Amino acid sequence: MSQSATDFFTSMPKSRQHILSLVILFIVPFVLFFDITLGGKELERHDITQWRAGAESIIEYREEFGKEPLWAENMFGGMPAYVVSVKKQVPHLDYLSRLFQGIYPAFQFWVMLSGMYFLLVLMGFRPLSSVFGSLLYSLTTYFPVIIMAGHTSKFFALGIIPWVIAGYWMLTRSDKKLPGLLLFMVSMTLEVRAGHPQITYYFMYLLGFLWLFDSWNAFKKNDLKNWGIVTAMLLIGGIVGILGNAERFLTLQEYAEYSIRGGSAIQGTEGLNESYAFAWSQGISETLTLLVPDLFGGASPDYWGPKSVTSGPHYLGIMALLFILIALFKVRKKVMYVFFGTGTLAIFFAWGNNFELLNHFAFNYIPMFSKFRAPETWLVLTSFSYSVVAVYGLNWLLTNYHEKSVSLKSFYSPFGIVLAILISLFVFTKSTDYINPVEIDRISAQIAQQNQVSPQNPQVRQQARNYVKTRLVPEREEKANADVLRAGFFIVISGALVFLLISEKLNATATVALIVLATGIDLVSVDKRYINEEKFVAGNVDTERYILSQKRDIDTYIVDNIHSDEAYPYRVLPLLDGAFSNAVPSYFYPSLGGYTGAKLSTVQDVLMADGNPLFAGPMGINLDLLALLNTKYITYGQGLNLPGITPVFQSQSGVVYELNNVLPKAFFVDSLITAQNSVEAYEYLYPGKTDLSSTAIVEDYEGSTSADSTASVEVTNYTGAEMSFKVSRKNPGFLVISEMYYPAGWKAYLDGAETPIYKTDYLLRGVEIPAGDHELELRFEPASYKIGSMIAWGSFSIQVLLTIYLITGLFLKKK
């Protein structure tokens, strides 16, 4: 086909080109998730199930009292509800997603695809080139992986990001400053409201580098005055946008200090523990999975890379490789290198522990870096940035292919590098052993346990290695070889299409259409590997109904017996169910366990950290600590024969054990120990250190107490978010309340007058009680929530007023 042949696409009006391009993008989610969009099914999402289970006490409170509880009492002994679930009081555009819940994730894909397309068109790229870039980013394999895992907030946060960058681009590079300001403002609000600060934090790096680049250009052009105005608009837009979610943002920011994100006094950290934060570091050679998805086995159990387990790789698409290299060799736009540099830095960050020189420095010195875990997640920034670079390469080709200076010879360098990479991949598949030393250790431990020998026994390790070689390696090798051949096939296609274009055998539209088609086939076919059709369930299956279907007879027994003689329920330690990684038991009764990535650091220290007091002592479990935490039941299998617990119900689903001496929700102690710091208080929680039923360990307190045989405590009201007590003593005393200590919002009122709450027994609350009869009330009233709500309404009002102003101006201009 000659270049003079009719090009039907470019002969269309621009508006029709955009409509046709968006229709192509609109179809993609239908193809990828056909069973949902047209098949009448929906996803069974693990994280959504966990969220719904953990939110049960919040929802019950909301339905009963018609307001937000702000405190959830059913997980981890109690925690702020806004970490789990809070209704957004201030409306915004994200409410539209509720209209499309039945076809999740198609709507979120449309938001992402259209946002990426709009950004690329705004950057000056052709419509079909923009389709190419939209597919590269939006069909990255990471998206089906997180969708199947139920990471809805992460997916929506990634879907809004292109709109945020588009707002920045419009505001900094077009004359439409106010529309750009509005877009940046609204998209920032939606990004923050998506509720995944880790994703937002990552992409702030890209915005920051773009701003530095633009600032340098303004300095060179002596245009700092105008750039200062634009910068001020960016700051205003960003601040107003972020404050659109202030009701949640301020409370979570406040909570971060006391959560595991804020560090631990026991571990001596101010953020996440390094080993915890750097879990799921991307292997250096594993980065090749950006080009060959199953080079390291794909998902567990075939995965053999350095991570403990994984649900799939970050596959960008082999079709992107040639065009990224064309961009790096041919495109002279410096802003392109901002995207390339940011994407490459994200790869270094993704290496985590495998690149200690950079990442341990960043962990200790870059603000907020230590707040997030799973370094491999940085690759979402790589995928986005490299997708833009690939579009630069394709766009350059479509713009310059007809120039006399452009010939096959001018592509020797990119083609040569692609060929070298392909050869290296073949060499890699033939030279590697497909064995992960960690799995050898794991299998050796299993064999050693069965045979009562040491895991380091040479024969045991050889047996483990032989098992891996004979049972696991052949399939891994086959998958890697198949994917390298597959990569070679698509490389040949991309190279052939470039050759046909520059030799004028195909016109520009036909070439880019075939590139888009090949890219779509490549990415969708790989994405399908990580879409587990077994997780598609009949449409309109209610999550709550699904949780209720998992209720067992042991759960029924506990529900029937969990309430005390007063107003409060006891707690349960559900060891049978993976106590600290499963929220389903907390749907039915208050649990010491649950499911969240942002627990209170004190709870993490006591219940889950290495060498924690809960699972310490000669019996393997600290029953005195459980009694202190008002825990009446433990669920487990047969054989938990410990003095101090009694099996009270058993069936095929498990056994319920009852603590014989559980302490009440609130009780007076006979003596106090004043701890000099939290580390000292923590040590007293270990078995045998002190009698926690009669002695309290208090920090920052100078009072005293004594035994009082006449003292009494009665819990008169308990909702989790509020609790009331009738207390009586002959002498002044100290009351221990078995509720998690959280100073940012909890208030205590003794006979209507506010009184201090003291940190007691490292993670609980204590209140000083004078002699006499008194009414004590505790309420959770965080000022940050009330202030945040007012600020969010202010942000929303500004955005509405600016929208009205722009629409009115447009109407008057047309009139």
Side-chain angles (χ1 to χ4, degrees):
M1 184 184 298
S2 68
Q3 292 299 323
S4 59
T6 302
D7 188 334
F8 82 95
F9 187 81
T10 55
S11 64
M12 291 181 183
K14 277 288 185 183
S15 58
R16 292 187 182 179
Q17 293 183 33
H18 293 317
I19 290 172
L20 183 57
S21 297
L22 288 171
V23 167
I24 294 171
L25 296 176
F26 183 86
I27 292 172
V28 170
F30 277 97
V31 175
L32 191 57
F33 291 95
F34 179 84
D35 288 331
I36 296 174
T37 51
L38 296 175
K41 294 184 178 181
E42 62 183 39
L43 273 174
E44 172 196 315
R45 289 168 275 166
H46 172 265
D47 276 23
I48 298 301
T49 302
Q50 297 295 324
W51 166 82
R52 179 60 186 85
E56 175 60 13
S57 70
I58 302 168
I59 294 169
E60 284 184 349
Y61 183 100
R62 190 181 291 150
E63 291 175 348
E64 183 174 354
F65 299 104
K67 61 179 181 178
E68 290 296 305
L70 302 184
W71 187 263
E73 51 90 15
N74 62 324
M75 280 204 306
F76 298 106
M79 62 189 299
Y82 38 75
V83 180
V84 183
S85 171
V86 64
K87 275 192 171 180
K88 297 184 177 76
Q89 293 183 350
V90 181
H92 220 287
L93 290 176
D94 53 353
Y95 275 38
L96 291 175
S97 63
R98 299 178 181 181
L99 301 176
F100 299 92
Q101 286 180 347
I103 56 169
Y104 173 87
F107 175 76
Q108 285 76 5
F109 260 115
W110 295 333
V111 171
M112 181 190 299
L113 287 161
S114 59
M116 194 68 181
Y117 179 81
F118 178 72
L119 168 63
L120 294 171
V121 169
L122 194 64
M123 293 175 72
F125 297 122
R126 300 162 184 253
L128 286 180
S129 299
S130 300
V131 170
F132 171 68
S134 300
L135 293 179
L136 282 180
Y137 172 61
S138 303
L139 294 182
T140 303
T141 312
Y142 187 66
F143 291 121
V145 167
I146 61 174
I147 288 167
M148 299 310 293
H151 299 319
T152 308
S153 61
K154 180 186 289 187
F155 180 45
F156 198 66
L158 287 164
I160 296 296
I161 280 299
W163 292 100
V164 174
I165 307 300
Y168 175 92
W169 203 269
M170 181 182 287
L171 184 52
T172 57
R173 285 167 169 76
S174 78
D175 296 330
K176 300 175 181 178
K177 301 298 183 190
L178 287 181
L181 174 62
L182 179 62
L183 177 59
F184 188 64
M185 202 181 286
V186 170
S187 59
M188 279 300 298
T189 297
L190 296 176
E191 174 63 26
V192 176
R193 283 167 70 96
H196 206 286
Q198 182 172 5
I199 297 301
T200 307
Y201 175 78
Y202 288 171
F203 279 87
M204 289 302 104
Y205 280 72
L206 177 57
L207 283 177
F209 289 134
L210 285 171
W211 181 84
L212 288 173
F213 172 80
D214 292 336
S215 297
W216 175 247
N217 279 341
F219 173 75
K220 289 195 298 183
K221 295 176 181 178
N222 197 24
D223 193 29
L224 290 176
K225 180 179 179 181
N226 289 330
W227 179 243
I229 294 172
V230 172
T231 298
M233 295 178 74
L234 282 170
L235 285 173
I236 292 169
I239 292 170
V240 172
I242 291 171
L243 293 180
N245 194 38
E247 59 190 330
R248 194 153 188 261
F249 176 80
L250 292 184
T251 50
L252 289 178
Q253 186 69 21
E254 182 178 66
Y255 177 71
E257 179 183 349
Y258 304 98
S259 77
I260 58 176
R261 311 287 174 175
S264 164
I266 306 306
Q267 304 294 331
T269 59
E270 295 182 358
L272 293 174
N273 177 276
E274 281 196 29
S275 61
Y276 181 76
F278 286 130
W280 283 277
S281 293
Q282 184 81 353
I284 293 177
S285 57
E286 188 185 8
T287 309
L288 290 170
T289 55
L290 285 166
L291 303 176
V292 182
D294 279 1
L295 192 63
F296 279 77
S300 299
D302 292 330
Y303 172 75
W304 59 276
K307 297 189 284 285
S308 56
V309 293
T310 186
S311 298
H314 290 249
Y315 178 58
L316 174 61
I318 192 65
M319 292 291 291
L321 177 60
L322 176 60
F323 300 104
I324 290 173
L325 291 170
I326 290 174
L328 294 177
F329 277 97
K330 300 296 182 181
V331 177
R332 295 294 175 261
K333 287 184 175 292
K334 294 179 180 178
V335 70
M336 183 201 71
Y337 290 95
V338 176
F339 287 95
F340 180 75
T342 304
T344 303
L345 178 64
I347 289 177
F348 298 156
F349 284 153
W351 288 346
N353 254 340
N354 301 309
F355 191 6
E356 293 185 3
L357 181 65
L358 171 67
N359 288 306
H360 284 229
F361 172 84
F363 185 88
N364 291 313
Y365 296 105
I366 296 180
M368 301 292 291
F369 196 95
S370 63
K371 304 296 182 184
F372 307 108
R373 65 191 293 256
E376 67 163 359
T377 312
W378 277 99
L379 292 177
V380 298
L381 180 56
T382 301
S383 299
F384 180 91
S385 301
Y386 279 13
S387 295
V388 174
V389 175
V391 178
Y392 271 106
L394 177 59
N395 205 68
W396 180 91
L397 180 66
L398 297 176
T399 303
N400 298 282
Y401 71 92
H402 55 275
E403 298 291 336
K404 292 182 179 180
S405 59
V406 177
S407 64
L408 188 61
K409 185 182 296 186
S410 61
F411 292 96
Y412 280 176
S413 295
F415 279 143
I417 293 175
V418 169
L419 183 60
I421 291 174
L422 189 60
I423 292 172
S424 299
L425 289 170
F426 274 109
V427 171
F428 180 86
T429 60
K430 301 303 178 185
S431 60
T432 190
D433 61 4
Y434 299 95
I435 297 175
N436 180 357
V438 175
E439 70 182 350
I440 299 295
D441 294 338
R442 185 175 63 249
I443 296 171
S444 296
Q446 294 171 353
I447 296 172
Q449 185 177 16
Q450 293 170 0
N451 295 277
Q452 302 295 311
V453 295
S454 169
Q456 301 305 318
N457 183 299
Q459 292 180 332
V460 169
R461 296 192 66 81
Q462 185 59 44
Q463 188 177 350
R465 182 171 288 275
N466 289 339
Y467 174 85
V468 173
K469 279 187 175 182
T470 57
R471 298 289 186 89
L472 304 179
V473 166
E475 185 172 352
R476 293 170 176 175
E477 187 173 9
E478 183 181 349
K479 291 176 73 173
N481 282 318
D483 259 11
V484 170
L485 287 172
R486 183 182 182 281
F489 172 75
F490 280 102
I491 284 173
V492 169
I493 289 178
S494 60
L497 289 172
V498 171
F499 171 77
L500 291 172
L501 177 66
I502 61 178
S503 61
E504 300 190 26
K505 303 296 183 182
L506 285 176
N507 66 26
T509 296
T511 301
V512 73
L514 289 172
I515 289 171
V516 166
L517 178 62
T519 300
I521 291 172
D522 172 31
L523 291 170
V524 168
S525 61
V526 174
D527 286 349
K528 286 284 189 181
R529 300 178 187 177
Y530 303 99
I531 297 176
N532 184 358
E533 294 187 359
E534 292 180 0
K535 288 196 173 185
F536 292 136
V537 297
N540 300 317
V541 173
D542 184 76
T543 305
E544 184 177 11
R545 194 183 312 159
Y546 172 74
I547 295 171
L548 287 170
S549 70
Q550 299 184 54
K551 188 176 183 180
R552 303 156 300 186
D553 48 4
I554 60 172
D555 298 316
T556 301
Y557 176 85
I558 294 174
V559 169
D560 292 341
N561 294 275
I562 195 68
H563 290 278
S564 68
D565 294 333
E566 298 178 10
Y568 65 90
Y570 291 103
R571 296 192 180 104
V572 178
L573 178 61
L575 292 179
L576 187 65
D577 303 294
F580 307 118
S581 60
N582 187 2
V584 172
S586 59
Y587 176 90
F588 302 108
Y589 34 76
S591 171
L592 274 184
Y595 179 84
T596 178
K599 297 173 280 291
L600 283 167
S601 64
T602 52
V603 172
Q604 174 81 13
D605 291 339
V606 173
L607 305 184
M608 286 156 277
D610 291 341
N612 66 78
L614 178 60
F615 296 105
M619 294 191 296
I621 185 167
N622 189 341
L623 296 181
D624 292 336
L625 182 55
L626 282 183
L628 176 70
L629 294 173
N630 198 221
T631 306
K632 185 176 183 180
Y633 295 117
I634 301 172
T635 63
Y636 198 63
Q638 297 281 355
L640 195 61
N641 300 317
L642 300 176
I645 62 172
T646 304
V648 291
F649 184 86
Q650 53 187 327
S651 69
Q652 290 184 344
S653 59
V655 182
V656 179
Y657 297 88
E658 182 177 343
L659 266 73
N660 299 338
N661 297 307
V662 59
L663 292 172
K665 177 65 68 177
F667 58 95
F668 285 107
V669 289
D670 298 337
S671 61
L672 298 176
I673 296 176
T674 301
Q676 298 301 312
N677 51 53
S678 294
V679 175
E680 182 183 343
Y682 183 79
E683 290 299 318
Y684 281 104
L685 299 182
Y686 284 93
K689 291 291 185 178
T690 190
D691 183 357
L692 296 172
S693 66
S694 60
T695 302
I697 318 302
V698 192
E699 302 174 41
D700 299 320
Y701 180 67
E702 297 179 355
S704 61
T705 189
S706 61
D708 185 347
S709 60
T710 67
S712 65
V713 184
E714 180 187 356
V715 181
T716 56
N717 177 53
Y718 182 87
T719 66
E722 303 97 3
M723 56 197 74
S724 302
F725 309 85
K726 283 184 179 180
V727 294
S728 178
R729 281 185 68 89
K730 182 188 299 183
N731 304 311
F734 193 84
L735 182 71
V736 176
I737 303 172
S738 186
E739 290 289 317
M740 299 305 166
Y741 178 78
Y742 182 67
W746 273 106
K747 304 289 184 182
Y749 301 91
L750 189 67
D751 299 326
E754 187 172 349
T755 189
I757 299 175
Y758 297 98
K759 187 180 181 184
T760 304
D761 296 335
Y762 187 73
L763 77 169
L764 300 180
R765 307 174 202 167
V767 178
E768 185 180 45
I769 304 295
D773 299 331
H774 304 282
E775 293 280 348
L776 176 65
E777 184 178 6
L778 272 68
R779 297 196 298 266
F780 190 50
E781 301 171 331
S784 56
Y785 182 78
K786 295 179 181 178
I787 295 170
S789 183
M790 291 188 291
I791 293 174
W793 275 111
S795 169
F796 178 70
S797 300
I798 291 171
Q799 294 177 49
V800 169
L801 289 173
L802 182 55
T803 303
I804 292 172
Y805 174 80
L806 290 172
I807 292 174
T808 303
L810 184 63
F811 174 77
L812 292 176
K813 184 178 179 180
K814 287 186 176 181
K815 188 174 181 181

